[in-house]
Amino acid sequence: MSGHRPTGRLHLGHLLGTLTNWVRLSETTETFFEVADLHAFTTGFENPQAIRDAREDLILDWLAAGIDPERSTLFLQSAVPEISELHTLLSMIVPVSWLQRVPTYKDQIEALGPEIATYGFLGYPLLQLCDIAVFRADTVPVGRDQVSHLEFGREVVRRFNYFYGETLVEPQALLSEFSAVPGTDGRKMSKSYHNTIDIADDEETTTKKVRSYITDPQKIRRNDPGRPEICPVFALHHYSNAARVAEIREACASGALGCVACKTELAETLNAFLRPGRERRASIDRTRVDEILRDGSAKAREVANATMRDVRRALKLVD
Ligand code: TRP
C-alpha cells in the first residue's frame, strides 16, 4: 500500500524513487494506491479546489508510470471513510508526545511556518498509519522521507495489539535503490525547490531543464577535465542511459566530453525513456479517472470494512 498527496504533478524523483517499486510490487502481489486528499488538507486547507484539481493529474501520472488499474486498487482516501473512523479510534491511544517526536513535524513547521501546526497536521503520521493499517498492508513502498512515519506507525500498531489483541499488521517501508534523484540545481529533486523534471513535461521543456542543470563548476571550458562523481547530469545518466555510464565517466574526466554534448545526450535518452508513459498519459480519456477511482474506492472499502469489523470487536464497540 502506498499513496501520494494530490498537490501537483509528479516528477522524475517520484518515478525513479517510488513508482518503479509500486509497479514491480503490483506485478506479484495485491496493491492499494491512494490519492491522499485528506492529507493534502493538512497544508492546503485554504484551497480545496486545488486539491480537487490535482486529483486527475495524479492518477494520470500514475498511469503514465505504468500502474495498471486492472491489477492495482486505486482509490480516493476521502471515499473510504473507514480510514477516518480508524483514525478517530486510534487517536484515543496515541500519546501526543509520540507525534511531536516525529522529525517531519518540527521540520515542516520550521519550513512552512507555525500556521500549519493544526491538530490534523500533528496527526498526519497517524492518519497515514490508518491508510496502511485499514488494509493490513505489510509493505509500503515510499521515499526515505517517510521512514519515520512508518516507525511511528509500527509503534502504534504494537500498542493497539498489546491492549486489545493481535488485530493490526506492522508495516515496513520498502525503499528504492534510487532515493536521491538530483534536480536542476543539484539538490534533491523536489517540487518545493522548483528543480523538477515532470512526468508530464513535453520534450522541449525537458531538454531546456536538462540544459539548465548545474554541472561541475571547475569544468569551465569544454576540454577541462570534469568530476563526474559530483555532477548531477552524470548521476542522471545512470537512469536513462545506463549502458553509456562508464564511457561518459571517462570522457568527462579526461576532458574529451563537454557539458553541452553530455546534456544533449542526456536530454535525448531521458525523453526516450519517458516517451511511452507520456504518450499513454496523453491518450487517456480524462473521464476514465473518475471511473477508476469510483471502482477502486468501492473495492478498497470492502477490504477496509473487514478490518474495521475486527477493530470494532477488539474495542468492544460491537459484540
Ligand atoms: N505522506 C506521504 C507523502 O507525503 C503520502 C501518503 C499518505 C502515504 N498516506 C500514505 C504514503 C500511506 C504511504 C502510505 O508522500
Side-chain angles (χ1 to χ4, degrees):
M1 190 277 153
S2 194
H4 282 132
R5 283 170 298 150
T7 53
R9 290 180 163 182
L10 300 183
H11 53 66
L12 210 53
H14 296 112
L15 183 65
L16 301 166
T18 56
L19 287 168
T20 40
N21 271 339
W22 292 22
V23 172
R24 204 167 47 73
L25 281 176
S26 70
E27 281 162 2
T28 53
T29 185
E30 177 162 34
T31 41
F32 295 87
F33 299 122
E34 174 190 85
V35 177
D37 59 343
L38 299 178
H39 274 111
F41 274 89
T42 56
T43 50
F45 56 86
E46 287 172 332
N47 195 353
Q49 190 63 47
I51 298 172
R52 173 66 191 86
D53 292 342
R55 189 193 290 176
E56 204 168 70
D57 266 326
L58 185 54
I59 295 288
L60 292 174
D61 281 340
W62 289 356
L63 300 183
I67 304 288
D68 177 357
E70 305 292 326
R71 253 183 212 276
S72 305
T73 304
L74 311 188
F75 71 97
L76 184 65
Q77 185 180 29
S78 62
V80 182
E82 290 77 11
I83 292 169
S84 298
E85 181 188 359
L86 185 58
H87 184 243
T88 300
L89 296 175
L90 293 185
S91 75
M92 305 304 164
I93 69 162
V94 175
V96 172
S97 61
W98 288 16
L99 285 160
Q100 288 166 329
R101 265 205 316 260
V102 177
T104 48
Y105 178 65
K106 270 203 199 105
D107 292 351
Q108 288 279 84
I109 289 173
E110 263 169 39
L112 302 173
E115 56 288 352
I116 68 151
T118 60
Y119 173 49
F121 181 72
L122 176 65
Y124 185 114
L126 181 60
L127 183 58
Q128 183 167 349
L129 183 261
C130 293
D131 297 335
I132 300 162
V134 89
F135 303 108
R136 294 191 164 109
D138 52 4
T139 305
V140 185
V142 282
R144 220 168 276 286
D145 58 329
Q146 300 295 308
V147 167
S148 64
H149 293 179
L150 287 161
E151 260 160 31
F152 160 85
R154 284 195 294 279
E155 282 182 57
V156 175
V157 168
R158 282 197 286 274
R159 188 167 168 93
F160 185 97
N161 289 346
Y162 171 76
F163 284 142
Y164 313 112
E166 282 297 318
T167 311
L168 301 175
V169 172
E170 286 184 39
Q172 298 290 337
L174 176 73
L175 299 179
S176 146
E177 50 183 316
F178 301 136
S179 276
V181 177
T184 51
D185 58 358
R187 294 190 287 176
K188 174 178 179 262
M189 191 176 283
S190 163
K191 189 164 84 95
S192 46
Y193 295 156
H194 304 287
N195 65 358
T196 65
I197 292 174
D198 295 346
I199 294 175
D201 279 342
D202 60 34
E203 298 201 354
E204 208 185 307
T205 306
T206 305
T207 303
K208 263 198 210 126
K209 287 180 175 177
V210 169
R211 274 198 215 115
S212 76
Y213 263 88
I214 294 162
T215 55
D216 179 357
Q218 285 179 18
K219 187 169 165 66
I220 298 161
R221 272 171 302 265
R222 190 179 79 85
N223 294 330
D224 290 343
R227 293 171 296 172
E229 66 284 357
I230 65 148
C231 179
V233 171
F234 179 69
L236 285 173
H237 276 291
H238 286 84
Y239 306 124
S240 60
N241 197 19
R244 284 260 304 143
V245 160
E247 284 169 90
I248 292 169
R249 177 188 288 117
E250 230 189 274
C252 170
S254 72
L257 178 67
C259 293
V260 174
C262 181
K263 286 174 170 179
T264 303
E265 180 170 341
L266 178 65
E268 276 165 14
T269 60
L270 261 186
N271 277 327
F273 169 72
L274 293 167
R275 197 168 299 134
R278 285 171 169 169
E279 284 172 0
R280 196 169 332 126
R281 194 185 194 284
S283 73
I284 295 159
D285 178 3
R286 290 180 168 244
T287 57
R288 264 294 280 152
V289 170
D290 286 342
E291 266 169 41
I292 290 170
L293 282 177
R294 188 171 15 81
D295 297 351
S297 301
K299 194 164 154 230
R301 283 199 76 179
E302 280 174 31
V303 181
N305 244 307
T307 307
M308 287 313 293
R309 268 195 291 276
D310 293 344
V311 167
R312 292 179 206 117
R313 243 182 249 131
L315 292 172
K316 309 291 175 205
L317 299 171
V318 296
D319 297 326

